[in-house]
């Protein structure tokens, strides 16, 4: 398993969550059938605009899809947060800590 840092994470103008890995790319992520997508132009993973799931669940879903592709994505102290308030940032960080592997913990947010 390759480990890659999340360079940046944010919510775009359409309201979907995105993550930009430092090095990895995921052009075939759609094959995981987890509604995670790769934007080749922006070099980021993204999910659909949340309807039933909160952003924290989409974060976990995107990270799980990347893991299925052989890459463990991790937030770091230098990850840039864009358009994400402090409460959601803390919830996402807590979700990462509570779910180091697929199927671990549950997150709300």
């Amino acid at each position: 398993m390759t480990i890659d840092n999340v360079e940046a994470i944010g919510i775009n103008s359409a309201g979907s969550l995105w993550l930009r890995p430092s090095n990895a790319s995921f052009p075939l992520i759609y094959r995981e059938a987890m509604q995670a997508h790769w934007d080749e132009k922006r070099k980021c993973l993204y999910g659909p605009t949340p309807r039933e799931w909160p952003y924290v669940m989409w974060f976990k879903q995107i990270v799980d899809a990347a893991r299925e592709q052989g890459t463990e994505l991790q937030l770091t102290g230098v990850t840039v947060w864009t358009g994400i308030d402090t409460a959601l940032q803390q919830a996402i960080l807590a979700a990462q800590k509570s779910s180091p592997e697929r199927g671990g913990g549950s997150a709300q947010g």
Side-chain angles (χ1 to χ4, degrees), residues 69-89:
Q69 293 273 303
T71 301
E72 184 73 36
L73 295 175
Q74 57 186 16
L75 300 166
T76 69
V78 296
T79 299
V80 175
W81 298 78
T82 303
I84 297 178
D85 65 35
T86 304
L88 179 55
Q89 181 177 346

Side-chain angles (χ1 to χ4, degrees), residues 59 75-76 81 88-98:
F59 168 77
L75 300 166
T76 69
W81 298 78
L88 179 55
Q89 181 177 346
Q90 294 304 315
I92 289 171
L93 288 167
Q96 177 179 255
K97 290 177 184 174
S98 72

Side-chain angles (χ1 to χ4, degrees), residues 32-77:
E32 302 307 330
M34 297 174 76
Q35 296 187 47
H37 306 281
W38 177 248
D39 182 329
E40 184 61 36
K41 184 177 178 182
R42 293 177 47 227
K43 303 292 187 198
C44 67
L45 290 161
Y46 66 96
T49 303
R51 289 185 181 86
E52 295 178 18
W53 280 8
Y55 286 115
V56 172
M57 292 302 292
W58 280 114
F59 168 77
K60 291 176 69 174
Q61 183 81 344
I62 292 167
V63 169
D64 285 349
R67 189 176 299 116
E68 289 295 318
Q69 293 273 303
T71 301
E72 184 73 36
L73 295 175
Q74 57 186 16
L75 300 166
T76 69

